[in-house]
């Protein structure tokens, strides 16, 4: 509550400092209380609803520990509680969104993705190149080119889409650096790039539709 008040005050008195207040970390006790409140609320909701339904399902976000390893403690606890109560063993489905991602990975995108990553790294990983490219696109009112992070599969679609949007500017910049990119003149390579952009955007949009309150897979139809 105090943090929210400070942010509200900062928005009136010094709006340029609002992000500093927003970045203040909550204390461990505050986080613990919020987790406890959430747990009690979920328990109360389940208690109110369990007598009205013979079957029900739970949709949970995956959590990871400090080593970025997925943890499914809730799944184990629910299964044990149902077993102790003599109920039917629950059906567990993990990583629904990843099933779409795995389907996308059946296609070999390396012919398109590897050259794009090479160009992005040439622009972003060299300080002078990145500075010059950023100044160049800022002059025409465009935003920067993002990095591709392999462990975050959502970034693939964002990088491909941004690369396509800035293809003319990228070609000009690479030619000035004596690093011409011939694939930008290859119509077959370009339509493959456009296809993979559509594919990865589809998966990204599905992922976003599954986020938030009351967003379940049956409520989020996705065209193939």
């Amino acid at each position: 509550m105090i943090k929210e008040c400070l942010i509200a005050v900062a928005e009136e008195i010094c709006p340029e400092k609002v992000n500093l207040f927003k970045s203040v970390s909550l204390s461990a006790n505050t986080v613990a209380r919020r987790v406890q409140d959430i747990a009690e609320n979920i328990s109360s909701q389940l208690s109110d609803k369990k007598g009205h339904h013979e079957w029900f399902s739970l949709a949970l976000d995956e959590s990871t520990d400090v080593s970025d390893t997925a943890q499914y403690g809730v799944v184990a606890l629910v299964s044990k509680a149902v077993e102790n109560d003599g109920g039917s063993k629950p059906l567990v489905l993990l990583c629904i969104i990843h099933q779409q991602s795995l389907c996308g990975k059946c296609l070999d995108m390396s012919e398109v993705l590897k050259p794009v990553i090479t160009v992005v790294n040439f622009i972003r990983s060299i300080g002078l190149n990145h500075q010059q490219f950023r100044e160049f696109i800022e002059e025409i009112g465009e935003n920067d080119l993002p990095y591709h992070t392999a462990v975050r599969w959502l970034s693939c679609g964002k990088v491909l889409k941004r690369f396509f949007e800035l293809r003319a500017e990228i070609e000009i910049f690479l030619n000035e650096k004596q690093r011409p990119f011939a694939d930008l003149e290859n119509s077959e390579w370009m339509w493959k790039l456009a296809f993979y952009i559509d594919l990865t955007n589809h998966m990204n949009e599905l992922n976003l539709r599954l986020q938030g309150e009351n967003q379940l897979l049956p409520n989020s139809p996705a065209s193939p």
Side-chain angles (χ1 to χ4, degrees):
M1 181 183 67
I2 295 175
K3 180 179 179 180
E4 293 174 356
C5 292
L6 289 173
I7 292 174
V9 172
E11 288 175 346
E12 296 294 333
I13 298 178
C14 50
E16 72 280 1
K17 302 290 185 180
V18 169
N19 288 334
L20 293 178
F21 288 92
K22 289 183 178 180
S23 63
V24 174
S25 299
L26 297 175
S27 68
N29 290 337
T30 300
V31 175
R33 284 197 302 270
R34 289 190 174 184
V35 172
Q36 183 177 356
D37 290 342
I38 292 172
E40 291 176 353
N41 180 267
I42 293 175
S43 178
S44 176
Q45 291 187 56
L46 292 177
S47 297
D48 293 339
K49 296 178 179 179
K50 68 179 181 181
H52 305 287
H53 302 281
E54 183 176 355
W55 302 92
F56 65 90
S57 64
L58 298 175
L60 305 172
D61 286 335
E62 176 184 290
S63 61
T64 57
D65 58 21
V66 293
S67 64
D68 204 30
T69 301
Q71 300 294 325
Y72 306 106
V74 174
V75 174
L77 293 173
V78 170
S79 299
K80 184 177 180 180
V82 171
E83 181 182 352
N84 293 339
D85 198 43
S88 302
K89 184 178 180 180
L91 176 64
V92 179
L93 297 175
L94 300 177
C95 305
I96 294 175
I97 182 64
H98 290 177
Q99 295 177 20
Q100 290 267 340
S101 178
L102 289 173
C103 291
K105 289 183 181 297
C106 290
L107 295 173
D108 184 9
M109 297 174 55
S110 59
E111 181 183 356
V112 169
L113 189 57
K114 285 183 178 179
V116 168
I117 293 175
T118 299
V119 171
V120 171
N121 288 342
F122 173 74
I123 295 174
R124 289 294 306 263
S125 63
I126 302 175
L128 179 60
N129 287 352
H130 188 208
Q131 179 183 352
Q132 292 175 339
F133 181 77
R134 190 170 60 242
E135 292 175 352
F136 171 48
I137 60 175
E138 284 177 353
E139 291 179 357
I140 56 176
E142 292 286 355
N143 295 322
D144 203 359
L145 185 67
Y147 262 125
H148 168 60
T149 306
V151 296
R152 297 182 181 275
W153 62 270
L154 287 174
S155 75
C156 177
K158 295 179 180 179
V159 172
L160 292 177
K161 182 179 180 181
R162 195 71 188 122
F163 182 93
F164 186 83
E165 293 170 344
L166 294 173
R167 62 189 184 281
E169 290 77 13
I170 290 174
E171 183 175 19
I172 293 173
F173 183 80
L174 293 178
N175 288 336
E176 290 181 350
K177 290 290 183 178
Q178 305 300 316
R179 288 283 298 267
F181 187 53
D183 285 331
L184 289 173
E185 301 294 333
N186 185 334
S187 59
E188 181 177 350
W189 189 88
M190 289 299 295
W191 70 250
K192 288 182 180 180
L193 171 62
F195 172 76
Y196 290 133
I197 290 172
D198 288 341
L199 175 67
T200 53
N201 278 342
H202 163 74
M203 293 188 291
N204 287 4
E205 290 171 3
L206 175 61
N207 178 75
L208 293 176
R209 286 201 299 269
L210 287 173
Q211 296 180 18
E213 186 177 359
N214 297 323
Q215 295 297 317
L216 304 178
L217 190 64
N219 302 328
S220 304
S223 57

